Amino acid sequence: MLKFEDAITGCLRNDNKSKEMVYKSFYGYLMGVTLRYVEDRNDAEELVNDSFIKVFKNIGQFSAPKYNDQVKKAFKGWIARISSRTAIDFLRSKRTFLYVDDITEEQQPLTELNAVSQLNVQDIMKLLNKLPETHKLIFNMYEIEGFSHEEISKMLNIPESSCRVYLTRAKNKLRELYRNSLMDSYEPTTQNIRKI
């Protein structure tokens, strides 16, 4: 079995065994990143493969940290950014999700979303998938991928203030969806008690 650092070096030399190891090692991870942006599994599989093409084509641009124990973590961050940008480009090419309102940031109340930290991954994904596409996209880019409002604004070609509004709306909607899911989970218990 190749060591991770050797596999990266092999990818730089265009070695197929090294590429295969990297692909198999990180396929699931990139699928998870991509599924945060697109729901359709076929689209996600295509986007993951497109991401790997970009990873292998640009692997020379990956700058590994000097300590070997940090290389894998840095590489995961690097390929996650490639994958999320690939998904964003795909969504942008569809152009079915972007619309810019005249609403200003000041008209939206500021909120904090701490309830999501108590949910498991499947619950969070279900809630995120219920968001309108723009809200989901900007929430993912800002809260999960760590892009700044300025970066999001440039990538999606929308004003920074719109990014902030969409993020606030996404958080408000997630809070509402979370509350509703809690209400739904308690409702059957209440009905059963009434029958007794």
Side-chain angles (χ1 to χ4, degrees):
M1 180 82 174
L2 277 173
K3 286 196 323 191
F4 178 72
E5 294 79 14
D6 296 335
I8 297 296
T9 305
C11 289
L12 284 164
R13 291 192 316 265
N14 207 20
D15 175 60
N16 286 334
K17 274 209 180 293
S18 299
K19 286 182 177 181
E20 183 181 353
M21 182 197 158
V22 169
Y23 181 86
K24 286 180 178 177
S25 298
F26 294 100
Y27 181 87
Y29 174 69
L30 288 190
M31 181 61 81
V33 170
T34 304
L35 284 171
R36 288 195 303 253
Y37 291 93
V38 296
E39 290 178 55
D40 184 273
R41 192 140 186 105
N42 292 327
D43 286 341
E45 287 172 0
E46 256 185 72
L47 291 169
V48 168
N49 287 325
D50 290 348
S51 297
F52 274 111
I53 290 169
K54 292 176 183 177
V55 165
F56 294 135
K57 183 178 179 182
N58 299 299
I59 201 155
Q61 294 176 14
F62 171 66
S63 54
K66 63 181 178 177
Y67 300 109
N68 282 350
D69 63 333
Q70 297 174 355
V71 173
K72 197 169 192 174
K73 184 178 179 182
F75 186 74
K76 280 178 83 171
W78 183 70
I79 65 173
R81 276 183 108 66
I82 290 173
S83 183
S84 61
R85 286 186 174 154
T86 302
I88 292 163
D89 288 344
F90 169 76
L91 291 173
R92 194 173 21 200
S93 73
K94 285 180 22 177
R95 281 286 184 209
T96 57
F97 68 97
L98 278 183
Y99 55 93
V100 179
D101 293 347
D102 293 331
I103 194 162
T104 63
E105 187 178 353
E106 292 78 33
Q107 292 172 302
Q108 287 290 320
L110 292 176
T111 60
E112 288 190 33
L113 187 66
N114 53 15
V116 171
S117 63
Q118 299 169 14
L119 300 173
N120 68 39
V121 174
Q122 288 83 13
D123 292 333
I124 293 170
M125 290 305 295
K126 283 179 190 172
L127 292 178
L128 284 176
N129 287 333
K130 289 181 181 178
L131 290 177
E133 258 189 89
T134 305
H135 297 71
K136 176 181 167 184
L137 176 65
I138 291 176
F139 182 86
N140 278 325
M141 293 175 75
Y142 186 82
E143 293 292 343
I144 298 173
E145 304 296 337
F147 290 108
S148 69
H149 286 297
E150 183 182 0
E151 290 172 309
I152 296 169
S153 167
K154 286 177 183 171
M155 281 191 267
L156 300 182
N157 198 25
I158 61 175
E160 264 185 72
S161 61
S162 293
C163 292
R164 288 185 174 87
V165 169
Y166 287 131
L167 180 63
T168 301
R169 286 180 179 175
K171 288 179 176 182
N172 287 338
K173 183 71 173 168
L174 279 173
R175 176 179 280 119
E176 178 186 324
L177 290 169
Y178 177 68
R179 267 193 234 119
N180 290 343
S181 72
L182 285 178
M183 296 296 268
D184 292 344
S185 67
Y186 288 120
E187 212 168 272
T189 310
T190 310
Q191 289 172 351
N192 290 338
I193 291 170
R194 285 185 196 141
K195 287 178 185 175
I196 298 173

